Amino acid sequence: MQANVSAPPSAAQAVEPAITPELIAQHGLKPDEYQRILSLIGRTPSFTELGIFSAMWNEHCSYKSSRLHLKGLPTSAPWVIQGPGENAGVIDIGDGLACVFKMESHNHPSFIEPYQGATTGVGGILRDVFTMGARPIACLNALRFGDPAHPRTRHLVAGVVAGVGGYGNSFGVPTVGGQFGFHTRYDGNILVNAMAVGIAKTDEIFYAAATGIGNPIVYLGSKTGRDGIHGATMASAEFDDSSEEKRPTVQVGDPFAEKLLLEACLELMKTGSVIAIQDMGAAGLTCSAVEMGAKGNLGVELHLEKVPCREEGMTAYEMMLSESQERMLMVLDPEKEAQAEAIFRKWGLDFAIVGYTTDTLRFVVKHHGKVMADLPIKELGDEAPLYDRPHVPTPAKPVLEAGALASPVSNREALLKLVGSSELCSKRWVWEQYDHLILGNSVQQPGGDAAIVRVQDGPKGLALTSDVTPRYCEADPFEGGKQAVAEAWRNITAVGGQPLAITDNLNFGNPERPDAMGQFVGCLKGIGEACLALDFPVVSGNVSLYNETNGRGILPTPTIGGVGVLPDVTRFASLAFKQAGEVIVLVGDTKGHLGQSIWLKDILGREEGAPPPVDLAQERKVGDALRPLIVSGLVSTVHDLSDGGLAVALAEMAMASGIGATITALPAGVPAHAALFGEDQARYLLAVAPDHLATVKAGFASAGVSLLEIGKTGGETLILPGEAPISVAELTETNDRWLPDYMAGKHN
């Protein structure tokens, strides 16, 4: 297959625009940042060089507002092979195998063009994983949309969900879990966070640092077009009323081309010819080439006339900033060049030598012999601005007294309203559009506390989850950050997994506002403290700032993607009741905390108060006592308590099984509505066979963990103390109805 290469530039293309203050501002560079460029290179940059600096120094690529604070996160453990700084994080899961995973955002593109924004978000994170030499085995996501009544919300939901499913299903990787929610603060800026997980051999991990002088730099994959130019810059600015005009900056994805790229890359990696490899993601050819050279302390020289293009007359500026999808850059062993090219030609993909490594520490870009850029390669990354933005802490909210919050409806009515609400309704409409069974290794389908995926053909499995409670982070960023990590740890524990590491996606508003920057700093401190206390390090992640429109920011949303290991996938717990006659046990301490609860929001119409405090020592004590009971087979029904508290957890367990329950006891000293709907942390609900009860109670007692027998499973109704029975069928119908009806336009 003959690659199309860029045509010689026309006379019009050869004339680059003058560098003016207006042009500098259009590239997202502040006046002082431009002065920094002048000082660095000692002259006025060319138009192409201005574009390169814009790409490398925007928030999305340089992390100039966040790098200072990210340094405080714990990133190491004996099982961590690669922490932050590469395409994805890598952990050792035993038996010579590694788990490779990362989460990234595609928020701004998905708001502008929901289908393509979501597809390319999924495609980009899959490339991050297989660039490391891993075969992807699962995807997850976290999706946040605006008020259901907002005129654009339904359109955005439909497009994003179709895009996530369209790419993952076609590529052939199951989407096994995620989060999905609504809040008016996302009206003008939705969140689309995509996570991918892969498996590799521990001694066959590939990295981005180039080595060797004079080695060929090879362009692999699909051709370069004009889609996605300035995508990273657009992702580093807040929206306004003209955001629709940014549609050309959204990339277009092709999952079938990416599948070919995956297979070709993995085959090529087996030949030993790959020295370094980098995904062309944000900032495309610019970022991938600079990162490979800079990490290896080498220079890079590119010859753009060799770049395969799908559009005529592309300029150097356009090629360097294009974010066309399904592309890789690789440094290759020159002795194996012919073998490598043959592999890519076999898969029907472009293969072109577009440059060489040098010993100059310069980033040189030529087009038809003309030097379009000549810049210091290390400084493009290392000398990017680093800001210690002014930040102010979020004022503390009062702790709400449960006794002062009278319910206007019965607890029975409250439960029915909550399970039928936009926040807690069944998300089946979403995940049924995803293929969650392809590859045949999905042990637990979406809807449980954590997804479970079998690792190859052995008994071992991975437990996977994505978690955050934005309303907690808004009320108290420090506690909210702790809680996001703790819930991921708890969800993995609830299925019997040993939590090992996290990836994060830190979604916040404008960092130039001290209150928004304060939310970021507070959440990060909470995340760091929780990761240390739970031995749950951060190995990869993404920062997404400027998520606001016309000055209205999103809720602070630091999504946590958690990964854990199950020694035997036949020994796991799920939330569904298994049979009648089992004893329902509440594990952990209940104080009836209603501040920032779903009950407070949806029943009283108030978003107030302090969120529930997170006692990390208690989280660890309770979880570590529970896990062995699951692994040993003593307990197979577990659900962690989170949104909606005890009552909603009971309803979810009943709906998942069709088996009812009778609750005869609630925690003492707590008003019934607070005991049922309070969102105290570090709690689990178990259903235990009577002949295992004594052993289970002894296990918790020896760890100093409190528990309470609250009822038994059985029948076709859920009976709360002092309330009329609710049929499980009515709960299920109420829970299932809201989202399909909403998407059908039956209500807002």
Side-chain angles (χ1 to χ4, degrees):
M1 182 182 68
Q2 179 63 41
N4 295 330
V5 296
S6 65
S10 67
Q13 290 171 333
V15 178
E16 293 194 334
I19 307 301
T20 64
E22 292 76 20
L23 190 66
I24 293 164
Q26 288 169 13
H27 282 73
L29 293 164
K30 302 285 174 61
D32 61 320
E33 293 174 340
Y34 182 68
Q35 288 302 314
R36 190 184 185 96
I37 293 170
L38 295 180
S39 299
L40 189 63
I41 66 175
R43 57 177 170 78
T44 300
S46 69
F47 180 53
T48 300
E49 288 174 333
L50 184 71
I52 289 170
F53 273 109
S54 168
M56 292 299 297
W57 284 14
N58 63 53
E59 192 72 57
H60 190 77
C61 294
S62 74
Y63 287 23
K64 57 191 175 186
S65 298
S66 60
R67 292 201 319 269
L68 190 68
H69 303 283
L70 293 171
K71 293 176 182 177
L73 292 175
T75 59
S76 61
W79 52 87
V80 174
I81 296 173
Q82 175 64 53
E86 273 288 344
N87 285 294
V90 186
I91 59 173
D92 191 332
I93 59 171
D95 302 317
L97 296 177
C99 178
V100 180
F101 63 102
K102 191 181 182 184
M103 182 183 289
E104 281 207 346
S105 60
H106 233 221
N107 303 336
H108 284 42
S110 299
F111 182 78
I112 295 168
E113 175 46 67
Y115 184 88
Q116 292 298 346
T119 64
T120 49
V122 174
I125 200 63
L126 285 166
R127 284 196 304 281
D128 281 339
V129 166
F130 71 75
T131 299
M132 301 290 292
R135 180 171 289 278
I137 63 166
C139 286
L140 296 90
N141 53 64
L143 312 177
R144 298 279 167 180
F145 298 95
D147 185 342
H150 190 279
R152 287 204 67 194
T153 298
R154 187 180 291 109
H155 161 73
L156 291 168
V157 170
V160 166
V161 171
V164 170
Y167 205 101
N169 297 354
S170 301
F171 181 82
V173 172
T175 300
V176 296
Q179 274 200 319
F180 181 99
F182 299 92
H183 195 282
T184 185
R185 291 276 292 283
Y186 302 103
D187 285 349
N189 201 124
I190 65 174
L191 300 185
V192 176
N193 295 172
M195 177 177 169
V197 181
I199 297 294
K201 293 182 178 179
T202 54
D203 58 355
E204 295 181 6
I205 307 297
F206 289 81
Y207 300 96
T211 59
I213 296 166
N215 284 332
I217 296 174
V218 183
Y219 174 113
L220 307 165
S222 297
K223 291 178 171 60
T224 293
R226 292 187 171 96
D227 56 319
I229 293 174
H230 286 305
T233 303
M234 178 267 292
S236 303
E238 62 181 83
F239 280 161
D240 54 29
D241 292 331
S242 65
S243 297
E244 286 293 311
E245 299 169 11
K246 298 179 180 177
R247 192 177 299 272
T249 64
V250 178
Q251 310 94 324
V252 177
D254 181 349
F256 302 105
E258 178 132 329
K259 175 65 172 174
L260 297 175
L261 184 61
L262 161 73
E263 299 299 343
C265 283
L266 293 183
E267 183 176 341
L268 184 59
M269 288 167 174
K270 286 184 170 61
T271 68
S273 60
V274 178
I275 293 173
I277 184 168
Q278 178 73 39
D279 162 44
M280 282 197 229
L285 186 56
T286 289
C287 194
S288 56
V290 169
E291 286 191 2
M292 285 204 305
K295 285 179 178 179
N297 292 310
L298 295 173
V300 166
E301 182 172 311
L302 298 180
H303 298 264
L304 297 186
E305 67 275 6
K306 305 292 187 183
V307 171
C309 293
R310 67 168 183 263
E311 299 184 48
E312 293 294 325
M314 288 191 69
T315 65
Y317 177 93
E318 291 171 328
M319 281 186 272
M320 293 307 296
L321 297 188
S322 168
E323 294 184 11
S324 294
Q325 297 293 286
E326 294 84 43
R327 301 180 302 159
M328 295 282 195
L329 206 62
M330 186 180 291
V331 177
L332 198 63
D333 180 344
E335 295 182 359
K336 298 184 178 180
E337 183 182 307
Q339 182 183 13
E341 181 170 2
I343 289 171
F344 268 75
R345 298 300 186 208
K346 181 187 77 172
W347 288 100
L349 295 167
D350 278 306
F351 177 102
I353 296 174
V354 297
Y356 298 90
T357 57
T358 71
D359 62 358
T360 64
L361 286 177
R362 304 290 295 182
F363 183 50
V364 179
V365 178
K366 296 181 179 180
H367 194 199
H368 297 289
K370 182 179 179 181
V371 176
M372 309 303 293
D374 186 350
L375 300 168
I377 197 165
K378 296 283 284 185
E379 287 79 355
L380 270 172
D382 295 348
E383 293 298 320
L386 176 61
Y387 295 123
D388 185 1
R389 301 276 192 196
H391 51 89
V392 296
T394 300
K397 304 291 191 297
V399 175
L400 302 184
E401 293 297 328
L405 299 170
S407 177
V409 298
S410 70
N411 292 326
R412 181 188 189 280
E413 291 176 88
L415 178 57
L416 280 168
K417 182 171 182 178
L418 291 182
V419 300
S421 68
S422 62
E423 191 71 21
L424 297 180
C425 68
S426 169
K427 307 307 188 295
R428 184 183 300 273
W429 181 91
V430 176
W431 59 257
E432 283 191 339
Q433 297 187 52
Y434 307 151
D435 190 333
H436 50 274
L437 297 175
I438 195 168
L439 301 181
N441 291 318
S442 301
V443 176
Q444 177 156 279
Q445 68 180 18
D449 287 322
I452 303 173
V453 180
R454 183 182 292 103
V455 176
Q456 297 184 348
D457 297 324
K460 188 172 293 183
L462 294 178
L464 310 170
T465 186
S466 65
D467 296 285
V468 66
T469 309
R471 63 185 186 278
Y472 293 174
C473 297
E474 168 92 345
D476 187 332
F478 178 66
E479 290 296 328
K482 286 164 59 180
Q483 192 273 341
V485 175
E487 184 163 354
W489 192 89
R490 201 161 59 235
N491 278 328
I492 291 169
T493 295
V495 299
Q498 175 63 56
L500 290 181
I502 70 167
T503 182
D504 59 36
N505 205 137
L506 307 174
N507 308 276
F508 291 84
N510 187 342
E512 297 170 50
R513 289 198 293 107
D515 58 334
M517 194 65 203
Q519 292 174 336
F520 178 84
V521 172
C523 281
L524 218 59
K525 287 181 178 176
I527 289 169
E529 185 166 305
C531 289
L532 275 175
L534 299 173
D535 221 5
F536 203 27
V538 184
V539 298
S540 61
N542 171 247
V543 178
S544 176
L545 304 179
Y546 294 97
N547 288 292
E548 58 180 68
T549 299
N550 292 327
R552 189 190 194 206
I554 62 164
L555 294 175
T557 311
T559 309
I560 302 298
V563 173
V565 170
L566 286 85
D568 183 349
V569 292
T570 66
R571 291 282 183 90
F572 71 94
S574 65
L575 61 83
F577 291 140
K578 304 301 184 295
Q579 59 187 16
E582 293 197 322
V583 180
I584 302 172
V585 177
L586 174 61
V587 178
D589 299 329
T590 298
K591 298 179 181 177
H593 193 104
L594 289 171
Q596 298 299 329
S597 66
I598 289 285
W599 179 89
L600 186 71
K601 181 172 80 75
D602 286 358
I603 303 303
L604 296 191
R606 296 160 58 179
E607 296 184 49
E608 298 173 19
V614 180
D615 183 334
L616 295 167
Q618 178 74 354
E619 285 282 1
R620 183 149 196 174
K621 182 169 71 170
V622 177
D624 286 352
L626 170 62
R627 201 176 302 109
L629 300 174
I630 299 172
V631 174
S632 67
L634 286 168
V635 177
S636 62
T637 303
V638 179
H639 193 11
D640 92 303
L641 270 61
S642 55
D643 286 344
L646 172 61
V648 169
L650 284 164
E652 289 172 342
M653 296 169 87
M655 290 186 291
S657 61
I659 298 171
T662 300
I663 306 306
T664 54
L666 291 175
V670 181
H673 66 287
L676 288 168
F677 299 107
E679 297 180 3
D680 304 287
Q681 301 294 292
R683 296 187 302 160
Y684 301 83
L685 205 54
L686 283 57
V688 183
D691 55 346
H692 290 162
L693 184 61
T695 307
V696 169
K697 291 172 73 172
F700 283 115
S702 65
V705 174
S706 64
L707 59 78
L708 176 67
E709 296 177 43
I710 62 171
K712 285 193 175 181
T713 61
E716 298 178 350
T717 61
L718 175 60
I719 304 175
L720 302 177
E723 303 286 340
I726 315 172
S727 75
V728 176
E730 183 181 4
L731 282 168
T732 303
E733 194 275 334
T734 302
N735 186 242
D736 284 346
R737 186 177 61 229
W738 190 92
L739 192 53
D741 280 0
Y742 172 71
M743 294 309 298
K746 295 182 180 178
H747 60 77
N748 286 329

